Amino acid sequence: MAVVAHDCPHCQVKHVGHHVVAEYRPPAYRREIHSFLRCGHCGRASVAVFLVLEGRGLSGSHAEISQHFGVYPNAFQLLSFAPAGDTPPIPEHLPETVKTYYSEAIMNIKIAPNSSGTMFRKTLDVAIKQIAPDTKGNLVNRIDKVAKDGLITKELAEWAHHIRIEGNDAAHDEDPFTIDEAMALHKFTELLVMYLFTLPGMLAERKLATSAEMDAAD
């Protein structure tokens, strides 16, 4: 059985082997091979469409992914892979350190929920350091301090504590952190970082654009 390496759209594992379960040639498109694939990590199915390239050592009419891909990988061009990946987008204007931990968190929601929950807490921790670098103490005290100083609202402080508590559970609780819990924590964290960084960044961009438009009008 041939194995095709590709990012899995279901479990989000990068460059994972997909086993060719079945394949089909549409009568009207004889150079295309439609392959039914099974992810070697999560076992869920995807469909890939390959084009058989001429002059690459294979007869196009007899080429099969299951039989020839391992020997002649350059004889096949991947045209499409479905379903499309469902990794959530990263909000704009995040500081690089915040973006790093947030990205790791969302990439692990489905494949490693415990790690995802821990990284969402880390995202919160680093975000608080970005907006209040001189604030000292543990995360509890720092959240309360930035709320008292008006850097975040009372409601956002409650969300921040929820992220902190859930992230602690993901890292230390005996019961495994679930995908649903990680997805819920993602929503809390997404709204928090958008309030802290994305919206201010968008406003700054709008101010610059408005200033440029006014200068051009003069």
Side-chain angles (χ1 to χ4, degrees):
M1 181 185 295
V3 177
V4 176
H6 197 278
D7 298 349
C8 180
H10 304 293
C11 65
Q12 301 176 2
V13 173
K14 297 294 185 181
H15 208 62
V16 65
H18 286 74
H19 301 274
V20 179
V21 178
E23 53 191 293
Y24 165 74
R25 282 179 180 268
Y29 303 92
R30 295 297 298 170
R31 290 182 61 201
E32 288 186 2
I33 301 177
H34 295 215
S35 298
F36 187 74
L37 309 175
R38 174 176 55 81
C39 174
H41 182 265
C42 70
R44 298 183 68 184
S46 300
V47 175
V49 177
F50 294 90
L51 177 68
V52 182
L53 302 177
E54 300 291 347
R56 300 296 178 93
L58 283 176
S59 171
S61 61
H62 295 95
E64 297 180 2
I65 296 294
S66 59
Q67 298 297 320
H68 301 114
F69 186 82
V71 181
Y72 301 100
N74 293 328
F76 303 96
Q77 178 184 347
L78 180 64
L79 297 181
S80 64
F81 197 97
D86 58 355
T87 302
I90 298 173
E92 296 181 343
H93 303 293
L94 301 189
E96 282 303 313
T97 51
V98 175
K99 184 177 179 179
T100 295
Y101 293 116
Y102 184 86
S103 299
E104 185 173 342
I106 63 174
M107 289 298 295
N108 281 287
I109 288 174
K110 293 185 177 180
I111 61 174
N114 288 307
S115 297
S116 177
T118 302
M119 286 300 102
F120 281 128
R121 184 192 184 282
K122 184 69 174 180
T123 301
L124 166 67
D125 191 352
V126 175
I128 296 297
K129 290 178 180 177
Q130 285 286 329
I131 65 171
D134 296 329
T135 303
K136 306 299 182 182
N138 59 31
L139 186 54
V140 175
N141 294 334
R142 287 187 286 119
I143 292 171
D144 291 341
K145 182 66 165 58
V146 295
K148 181 179 179 181
D149 292 344
L151 297 177
I152 61 175
T153 66
K154 177 183 177 182
E155 290 77 15
L156 279 177
E158 293 175 358
W159 288 0
H161 281 301
H162 176 75
I163 297 168
R164 175 184 61 79
I165 293 169
E166 291 293 299
N168 284 340
D169 288 346
H172 304 296
D173 199 75
E174 182 177 350
D175 295 327
F177 206 62
T178 68
I179 293 176
D180 287 342
E181 288 173 322
M183 291 177 67
L185 200 55
H186 166 233
K187 294 303 180 183
F188 278 97
T189 310
E190 179 184 46
L191 291 171
L192 180 72
V193 298
M194 288 183 68
Y195 177 88
L196 294 179
F197 307 110
T198 304
L199 292 178
M202 292 173 64
L203 285 172
E205 284 185 345
R206 186 64 259 171
K207 286 181 179 179
L208 286 174
T210 301
S211 177
E213 291 167 0
M214 294 177 64
D215 290 343
D218 293 338

